[in-house]
Amino acid sequence: MAALHSTAFRLGSVALSSRQELSFRRGNAKASAFSCSSSVSIPRLSFQSKALGGDGFPETKDSSLVVCFGEMLIDFVPTISGLSLADAPAFKKAPGGAPANVAVGIARLGGSSAFIGKVGEDEFGYMLAEILKENNVNSEGMRFDPGARTALAFVTLRSDGEREFMFYRNPSADMLLQEAELDLDLIRKAKIFHYGSISLITEPCKSAHIAAAKAAKDAGVVLSYDPNLRLPLWPSAESAREGILSIWDTADIIKISEEEISFLTKGEDPYDDAVVRKLCHPNHKLLLVTEGPEGCRYYTKEFNGRVKGLKVDAVDTTGAGDAFVAGILSQLAKDLSLLQNEDRLREALMFANACGALTVKERGAIPALPTREAVHSAILHSVG
């Protein structure tokens, strides 16, 4: 814990305690997928859920609230692309963390969202709480830890806008959320409960995550899962694969990227529908595979297909997958029957693709998330 308190940093040049954990990853972040036929070994974590209506979901939810659970942190994004972290002359401070990005994205699109997670009782933690408030995200479930710092991530931008990450958490406050700190009433009010896999890596947050998802499922809330693989944060590749798959079957909606499909299937072709269907479980209602500028693929029990993306000049792909998730969840929270109508689902996915595309045009995740008006304008412009 002392290592966290001895952290020092300054923009432009960075000095951090050698005792801080450093994690480095090369790659990009897009989305996620799933389907039917099971040769991938998936550990089972079973929850009981309420009786289902005609669309496969409980009929008891009148609200359109989406509750997002997990990490919120500070991204430091270089002001110049194409340079290593060491060579970057300066960094722009930007709020981030995949579940928080989704919560803000939904609110910015005019939807109703809440965030549950933990930050440090420090200046960055207070700043993040204020950003949620400014963006009309319910933060009743946010907690502050007096003994750990808010997580930091330094991001290198390649010339094509893709990223490399260096994380600082040893441990960070998001890892220390406890089950007793959960706002279960807020979770039970939701229409959709959204989460990733980073909150499964260490205790006590892992137990809090499992308890929160169980409370949601028991209350008839739709579960949405974006694994958002960050391999260096896990003890090993095998523990990451096992951890991600440990809650796979309980989700109703899953979003996954091509890279994550290859990882979970141990190198199989992510563009082969048969490979994608190995990750399917009967509980799943929708599996989405995001492909960056190419758009996305969708799989339900009744139909599957592809929706093209919008072509834009990418500046920073940070948060693009989260913007996509915000786009589709904002539509589903209003009307889950989209899942039974392929034409309407395709329209919703075109909207989600546009959300992702607009986000890569600016630096940072939350600052770049679009409004509903901007998304509709971009769609009209692309059609025109």
Side-chain angles (χ1 to χ4, degrees):
M1 208 71 83
L4 269 282
H5 289 285
S6 64
T7 297
F9 69 92
R10 38 181 198 281
L11 300 185
S13 62
V14 181
L16 288 140
S17 164
S18 62
R19 290 182 289 170
Q20 283 277 28
E21 172 187 345
L22 245 94
S23 299
F24 184 74
R25 163 174 118 87
R26 184 180 300 275
N28 58 17
K30 295 175 188 172
S32 315
F34 81 76
S35 181
C36 252
S37 150
S38 194
S39 68
V40 177
S41 177
I42 300 180
R44 304 295 171 107
L45 180 65
S46 298
F47 296 152
Q48 296 296 318
S49 58
K50 292 187 175 181
L52 304 179
D55 59 1
F57 290 110
E59 299 174 326
T60 57
K61 291 291 169 183
D62 296 324
S63 81
S64 60
L65 175 66
V66 180
V67 173
C68 301
F69 174 94
E71 69 278 4
M72 189 173 193
L73 48 81
I74 302 291
D75 288 327
F76 286 97
V77 185
T79 55
I80 299 177
S81 300
L83 298 177
S84 68
L85 286 175
D87 293 332
F91 294 86
K92 176 185 176 183
K93 179 175 86 256
N101 293 344
V102 173
V104 173
I106 289 169
R108 201 165 285 174
L109 292 169
S112 174
S113 67
F115 173 75
I116 292 179
K118 202 171 195 180
V119 295
E121 197 173 277
D122 52 34
E123 289 301 311
F124 284 145
Y126 296 135
M127 184 192 90
L128 293 174
E130 186 61 27
I131 285 168
L132 292 180
K133 181 179 177 181
E134 290 171 357
N135 284 278
N136 299 313
V137 176
N138 182 325
S139 61
E140 292 174 9
M142 193 173 193
R143 303 292 180 256
F144 297 82
D145 196 305
R149 299 296 192 194
T150 301
L152 308 179
F154 286 79
V155 187
T156 300
L157 297 181
R158 300 198 316 238
S159 56
D160 62 358
E162 294 299 347
R163 294 85 39 74
E164 297 170 349
F165 292 93
M166 184 181 287
F167 295 98
Y168 290 83
R169 53 204 311 262
N170 187 38
S172 52
D174 61 286
M175 302 163 68
L176 302 177
L177 181 68
Q178 299 182 46
E179 182 178 345
E181 297 176 300
L182 294 173
D183 188 335
L184 295 177
D185 288 339
L186 180 61
I187 292 170
R188 294 180 182 119
K189 291 176 185 175
K191 182 78 160 283
I192 298 173
F193 183 68
H194 176 73
Y195 48 86
S197 70
I198 290 176
S199 48
L200 293 170
I201 298 174
T202 57
E203 294 288 2
C205 191
K206 178 179 178 179
S207 292
H209 177 134
I210 293 170
K214 184 179 187 304
K217 195 76 168 181
D218 289 348
V221 180
V222 175
L223 300 189
S224 166
Y225 184 25
D226 176 2
N228 193 36
L229 177 65
R230 294 290 182 265
L231 197 52
L233 297 180
W234 292 85
S236 67
E238 191 51 43
S239 68
R241 191 177 291 109
E242 182 179 335
I244 288 171
L245 293 175
S246 69
I247 60 170
W248 195 261
D249 293 357
T250 64
D252 299 297
I253 299 165
I254 296 181
K255 168 250 177 213
I256 196 170
S257 68
E258 314 104 291
E259 296 92 339
E260 288 163 344
I261 294 172
S262 294
F263 174 76
L264 293 175
T265 59
K266 299 185 178 181
E268 296 191 52
D269 182 2
Y271 299 100
D272 184 341
D273 281 351
V275 171
V276 177
R277 292 190 181 283
K278 292 178 183 179
L279 293 171
C280 179
H281 184 272
N283 290 343
H284 298 155
K285 306 300 187 300
L286 175 65
L287 175 67
L288 298 168
V289 182
T290 54
E291 301 177 345
E294 301 307 314
C296 68
R297 283 175 280 158
Y298 58 91
Y299 300 82
T300 74
K301 291 182 178 67
E302 288 77 29
F303 46 75
N304 65 277
R306 181 189 299 270
V307 178
K308 290 183 180 180
L310 272 65
K311 296 294 191 291
V312 298
D313 294 326
V315 174
D316 176 9
T317 59
T318 306
D322 303 327
F324 173 89
V325 173
I328 188 61
L329 292 187
S330 69
Q331 306 298 302
L332 290 172
K334 292 188 294 185
D335 186 2
L336 286 170
S337 70
L338 289 174
L339 297 175
Q340 279 71 52
N341 185 312
E342 187 171 9
D343 289 340
R344 293 176 61 216
L345 179 61
R346 290 180 62 86
E347 289 177 2
L349 290 172
M350 180 185 296
F351 181 89
N353 282 342
C355 290
L358 291 177
T359 300
V360 308
K361 296 173 68 176
E362 297 182 35
R363 295 180 192 274
I366 286 178
L369 294 168
T371 62
R372 178 171 294 275
E373 293 72 25
V375 175
H376 284 310
S377 176
I379 292 173
L380 287 172
H381 181 75
S382 68
V383 172

